[in-house]
Amino acid sequence: VGAARLCSLAARRGQARPFFIPLFCHKETTMNALQNPLALLGRLLLAYVFIPAGIGKLGAGFAGMHMLFRLRQMNMSALVIERGSDVGGTWYWNRYPGARCDVPSLDYSVPWDPELDQEWNWSEKYSAQPEILRYATHLADRHDFRRDIRFDTAVTSATWDDERKLWTVGTDQGDTYEARFFVSAVGALSEPNLPDIPGIGSFKGELYHTGRWPKEPVTLAGKRVAVLGTGSTGVQATTAIAKEAEHLY
């Protein structure tokens, strides 16, 4: 949604409502656009004030942790709801063979912890998934983010109450939360997409999706493996799997 459209919505003070704003925390783009991640939100929603119900957030990847850090700086209460068992977002779920970033590793260094910038040494210019996930978990440890995160929990509903000016957020754990603002930080790669291929549901062999790769080691030695897709993920996985599989299709 463009900024002009958001301003137009906010101008209708009686009709505007706190809405979803996906956040991305690449150093240059985010810091230039949102030095304070709620500055834009605050300007747009002048009709509202923050109340103890606070802010509900969805997602504990880099964008989610970035947002949580900024909210704490503003002395605001926030709760993050995360489907995974730990922080990391994309780098928690995408642990397939060969997974690595396709931008310089330094782009994952958060801009609001300069001391960590000096302490952390990226081992490669384009780091592999395990190292990026280690950085994310170290960040969560360093700033005690987990105390404000509910893991292994999926949001099942988010309903706006126009009279009370509150979001009511339901989860698969049966919990219900109320918040003045509900911010989505799920990113664009959070939901796996299985191809619509006849017979995929009855396939008797092993079936893996790169976006839900098991935490436990997968043995592909001596097996015939077919990889669907030739994007960056497909290329990365193919390069790594070819070293182990008997035959690769």
Side-chain angles (χ1 to χ4, degrees):
V1 180
R5 173 60 175 158
L6 293 179
C7 291
S8 173
L9 286 172
R12 307 174 200 163
R13 298 167 69 95
Q15 300 175 21
R17 67 181 63 178
F19 42 78
F20 298 90
I21 295 185
L23 293 178
F24 303 91
C25 63
H26 281 136
K27 244 180 186 176
E28 299 300 327
T29 53
T30 300
M31 293 310 295
N32 289 342
L34 295 175
Q35 286 291 338
N36 178 335
L38 282 184
L40 176 63
L41 190 60
R43 286 197 298 271
L44 295 178
L45 303 174
L46 298 177
Y48 301 109
V49 295
F50 292 99
I51 60 172
I55 298 177
K57 276 188 65 285
L58 181 59
F62 279 91
M65 289 191 286
H66 174 87
M67 186 67 172
L68 181 55
F69 179 84
R70 293 301 186 189
L71 292 172
R72 286 181 178 178
Q73 279 189 320
M74 299 170 70
N75 295 317
M76 300 177 70
S77 61
L79 177 69
V80 180
I81 301 174
E82 168 58 47
R83 180 168 53 180
S85 299
D86 204 354
V87 300
T90 293
W91 300 102
Y92 172 86
W93 295 108
N94 290 269
R95 54 183 75 232
Y96 58 87
R100 63 175 59 245
C101 61
D102 51 9
V103 296
S105 306
L106 283 173
D107 283 0
Y108 281 94
S109 295
V110 296
W112 33 263
D113 193 339
E115 291 182 358
L116 180 57
D117 248 356
Q118 300 303 313
E119 297 170 10
W120 189 272
N121 293 313
W122 294 101
S123 63
E124 299 180 82
K125 183 175 181 180
Y126 300 98
S127 294
Q129 178 268 342
E131 185 171 12
I132 299 174
L133 185 59
R134 282 198 301 273
Y135 179 85
T137 56
H138 178 70
L139 195 64
D141 292 337
R142 184 180 176 93
H143 294 280
D144 193 21
F145 285 143
R146 292 182 182 86
R147 65 181 165 90
D148 291 320
I149 303 175
R150 300 291 181 269
F151 292 108
D152 297 308
T153 303
V155 170
T156 55
S157 64
T159 307
W160 172 250
D161 186 327
D162 206 39
E163 289 187 6
R164 300 172 62 215
K165 308 302 182 190
L166 285 176
W167 285 98
T168 299
V169 181
T171 75
D172 62 353
Q173 302 299 314
D175 298 315
T176 301
Y177 302 98
E178 290 186 336
R180 175 65 73 182
F181 296 98
F182 181 30
V183 181
S184 174
V186 298
L189 305 173
S190 59
E191 194 63 31
N193 180 34
L194 286 174
D196 186 15
I197 299 175
I200 192 172
S202 57
F203 179 65
K204 301 300 182 184
E206 299 174 51
L207 183 63
Y208 301 103
H209 193 290
T210 52
R212 289 294 183 271
W213 200 267
K215 292 182 182 180
E216 302 75 21
V218 175
T219 301
L220 300 175
K223 298 178 180 178
R224 294 177 299 164
V225 179
V227 177
L228 302 183
T230 56
S232 58
T233 297
V235 171
Q236 290 174 348
T238 296
T239 304
I241 293 173
K243 299 175 182 178
E244 183 180 0
E246 177 182 327
H247 193 85
L248 184 65
Y249 298 91

